[in-house]
Amino acid sequence: MSDKPLLIGMHVSGSQLQAALVDASGNVLERVGANISPQNMVEQAAGVARDLNARGDISALGFAIPGLVNRQTDVVMISPDLPSTIREGLHAELIKATGLRVEIENDANAAAYGEFKVGAGRGSRDIFYMMIGNGIGGAIILDGKLWTGSSGFAGEVGHITIDTEGIECVCGNTGCLETLASAPSIVRRARERLHRDSTSSLSRLGLKGDFTADDIAHEAKEGDDFALMMIERTGKYIGTGVASVINLLNIERIILGGGVMDAGPLILNPIIQEARRRAFQPCFEATEIVAGKLGRDAITIGAAILAHDAGVN
Ligand SMILES: [Zn+2]
């Protein structure tokens, strides 16, 4: 066993709780998943924490949620999954139920911090992180610290406009990057186009029932032309967003994570190509665009390390 401090990172998304036992170097020693309901979330999270802390050697718990968290007051300001009665007392309730030091953070911020400290961001001072999954989130780390903007919303790259004629987004705008490149948007775009290409293996999957963005990536890896085209177009949309980030921030490194990036080079290459095509060249050349290294553990690892560092600093 490691003599380094042990931590727990948790991530709540919808009715799912993912938890990991993590050491201070970001190694995952154990993973636990559980179904939860918002009403019983604290007790359920505390139960998982107790199991992971059987030896009583955990030093902190990092708790990541989709939504906006005020890190000064530890109050969850906005979260699509949590009713306000749960949000307001969440931090105090989690401390009471687990007996641990608890830090709550937005999920994209947590993942960014994880990649920055122990993943693809190691060795850089400033990064932009993009999480492309069921939604698209982003985070900015400047000089080693999360830069959250004047009211906590900095880095919302999923809601920059890519298509001025596009469809309506959950945020109220139209044609946001999220409406084109999030996992559900990839599936929607594929469905819209599929009738034009009935030879694709996806038509077969579509006939059988629903297919997911993971299925599209899988078929692309197997060489299906239609699936490849869908992934490549998605990469172009993301690359268009990345070009704006490059021009705006002239940042050292852009790290791309989230489930959609599981498509690997099939999506990373068109992202880089499109960013090169659109960004101001000297800015582009000063930026490295890389895939995250922590995969689907990025959020839990990041939440854990963040909780650790918050106790040290
Ligand atoms: Zn939007």
Side-chain angles (χ1 to χ4, degrees), residues 182-244:
S182 67
S185 305
I186 298 170
V187 172
R188 189 203 71 243
R189 283 174 31 239
R191 284 200 179 290
E192 285 166 3
R193 298 186 63 105
L194 206 48
H195 65 277
R196 292 186 226 165
D197 188 351
S198 55
T199 59
S200 169
S201 46
L202 287 168
S203 326
R204 208 180 55 236
L205 284 175
L207 286 175
K208 275 195 216 153
D210 280 342
F211 58 84
T212 63
D214 283 342
D215 293 328
I216 299 174
H218 176 79
E219 294 305 318
K221 283 178 191 166
E222 297 287 309
D224 181 83
D225 285 341
F226 177 85
L228 272 167
M229 187 260 294
M230 289 311 303
I231 297 292
E232 196 181 303
R233 292 249 165 122
T234 305
K236 281 191 174 180
Y237 292 132
I238 299 169
T240 304
V242 165
S244 297

Side-chain angles (χ1 to χ4, degrees), residues 13-312:
S13 172
S15 60
Q16 289 290 308
L17 174 82
Q18 299 296 330
L21 181 63
V22 177
D23 71 17
S25 308
N27 300 304
V28 176
L29 309 174
E30 201 176 333
R31 290 179 185 81
V32 185
N35 282 314
I36 53 158
S37 64
Q39 281 67 30
N40 303 321
M41 189 174 71
V42 170
E43 297 92 275
Q44 287 166 312
V48 171
R50 262 193 304 279
D51 292 344
L52 289 173
N53 193 19
R55 284 185 304 274
D57 48 4
I58 302 292
S59 63
L61 165 68
F63 199 81
I65 55 158
L68 176 64
V69 182
N70 183 328
R71 290 290 310 283
Q72 261 74 51
T73 59
D74 293 306
V75 172
V76 181
M77 312 291 288
I78 299 169
S79 187
D81 300 335
L82 303 178
S84 63
T85 46
I86 311 260
R87 284 202 317 263
E88 280 155 20
L90 185 61
H91 186 246
E93 292 290 323
L94 281 170
I95 293 172
K96 203 168 98 187
T98 61
L100 296 170
R101 199 165 51 69
V102 177
E103 294 290 326
I104 306 181
E105 183 53 278
N106 164 271
D107 50 8
N109 286 352
Y113 198 73
E115 289 288 357
F116 177 73
K117 295 292 277 201
V118 298
R122 283 178 83 150
S124 45
R125 206 171 45 127
D126 308 323
I127 65 160
F128 187 85
Y129 177 78
M130 226 163 135
M131 189 166 70
I132 310 150
N134 281 330
I136 298 183
I140 305 167
I141 293 180
L142 298 178
D143 235 348
K145 292 195 175 66
L146 278 161
W147 190 79
T148 56
S150 64
S151 63
F153 288 109
E156 284 291 351
V157 70
H159 300 290
I160 60 171
T161 304
I162 301 293
D163 178 4
T164 54
E165 312 280 302
I167 68 162
E168 197 176 336
C169 179
V170 286
C171 75
N173 182 28
T174 55
C176 290
L177 179 59
E178 187 166 294
T179 66
L180 294 161
S182 67
S185 305
I186 298 170
V187 172
R188 189 203 71 243
R189 283 174 31 239
R191 284 200 179 290
E192 285 166 3
R193 298 186 63 105
L194 206 48
H195 65 277
R196 292 186 226 165
D197 188 351
S198 55
T199 59
S200 169
S201 46
L202 287 168
S203 326
R204 208 180 55 236
L205 284 175
L207 286 175
K208 275 195 216 153
D210 280 342
F211 58 84
T212 63
D214 283 342
D215 293 328
I216 299 174
H218 176 79
E219 294 305 318
K221 283 178 191 166
E222 297 287 309
D224 181 83
D225 285 341
F226 177 85
L228 272 167
M229 187 260 294
M230 289 311 303
I231 297 292
E232 196 181 303
R233 292 249 165 122
T234 305
K236 281 191 174 180
Y237 292 132
I238 299 169
T240 304
V242 165
S244 297
V245 171
I246 290 174
N247 285 358
L248 192 66
L249 297 178
N250 182 207
I251 202 146
E252 230 182 308
R253 198 171 295 179
I254 296 179
I255 301 171
L256 306 164
V260 169
M261 291 307 296
D262 288 353
L266 289 182
I267 191 149
L268 184 62
N269 293 340
I271 291 173
I272 294 174
Q273 223 170 48
E274 193 67 8
R276 180 187 290 120
R277 204 168 76 79
R278 291 182 181 272
F280 186 48
Q281 198 195 344
C283 282
F284 177 84
E285 277 161 14
T287 306
E288 268 186 284
I289 304 169
V290 297
K293 280 193 178 153
L294 304 182
R296 298 199 180 200
D297 290 323
I299 301 174
T300 47
I301 293 175
I305 305 269
L306 199 126
H308 172 259
D309 290 359
V312 174

